[in-house]
Amino acid sequence: MMSQVLSEQSSGVRAFTALVRAYSTATRRLSAQLTADHGLTISDYEVLLRLARAPDRRMRRVDLSEQVLLTASGITRLLDGLERSGLVERGSCATDRRVVYAVLTDAGLTKLREASRSHVAQIDLFFGERFDGDQLDTVVDLLSRLGGADFRDFDPDA
């Protein structure tokens, strides 16, 4: 009975399974390379990137946790490590003492620029080995329909 249920999965379930497996494979490979080359996890990199894109390179910690899909305790642990490394610092709010900001330091921006050069090249290689340009455009179009994609570029030389 169980094998019959598994063999009769809907297209939606098969698509979701393929998406989750692809995400896991891509994240595992790219994260391992990013960690080996720059000592950053994918989550570290994403936080640095979001802070670099934010006005004044600062975001409320609660907003940052929502954007990178981490719990309050998860973002605290991640930011604590980035703070110890000197890549991020805490900032206060002049109008509300309860608000705490994560602020990208100059060292953090430098680290992000260094990591971005090789990380973006590795992403391009990972996908370029599997898809041609037209296929990649289709993948972007299809996945964008699932929502919430932010494709603004970070220019490591800016």
Side-chain angles (χ1 to χ4, degrees):
M1 176 75 170
M2 182 59 99
S3 64
Q4 185 179 29
V5 170
L6 293 177
S7 66
E8 295 176 10
Q9 291 178 342
S10 68
S11 296
V13 170
R14 288 194 321 270
F16 178 74
T17 301
L19 175 65
V20 169
R21 286 184 179 159
Y23 172 79
S24 178
T25 299
T27 301
R28 202 171 29 250
R29 178 167 304 163
L30 294 169
S31 187
Q33 193 66 50
L34 188 60
T35 300
D37 292 349
H38 302 285
L40 296 173
T41 66
I42 287 272
S43 294
D44 293 338
Y45 181 86
E46 183 178 3
V47 164
L48 297 178
L49 183 61
R50 289 188 181 272
L51 290 172
R53 292 176 174 168
D56 299 323
R57 298 187 336 211
R58 62 191 286 130
M59 289 181 71
R60 293 183 332 156
R61 292 165 74 101
V62 66
D63 296 334
L64 189 56
S65 70
E66 289 174 6
Q67 287 191 15
V68 297
L69 306 177
L70 289 174
T71 63
S73 62
I75 197 69
T76 296
R77 282 191 303 276
L78 190 146
L79 289 171
D80 284 349
L82 293 174
E83 288 170 15
R84 282 192 300 276
S85 299
L87 304 176
V88 173
E89 62 189 13
R90 290 177 186 251
S92 59
C93 178
T95 59
D96 188 345
R97 291 181 16 190
R98 297 170 295 176
V99 174
V100 179
Y101 287 94
V103 182
L104 183 66
T105 64
D106 290 341
L109 184 59
T110 298
K111 182 75 154 181
L112 176 63
R113 286 178 173 152
E114 291 168 357
S116 289
R117 289 185 185 93
S118 62
H119 185 55
V120 169
Q122 290 158 0
I123 292 169
D124 284 340
L125 179 63
F126 180 83
F127 284 92
E129 289 175 341
R130 291 156 178 81
F131 305 105
D132 66 29
D134 290 339
Q135 290 170 326
L136 281 172
D137 290 341
T138 300
V139 168
V140 169
D141 179 55
L142 293 173
L143 292 177
S144 296
R145 294 181 197 175
L146 296 177
D150 178 5
F151 293 112
R152 290 186 302 158
D153 292 325
F154 170 72
D155 182 357
D157 298 317

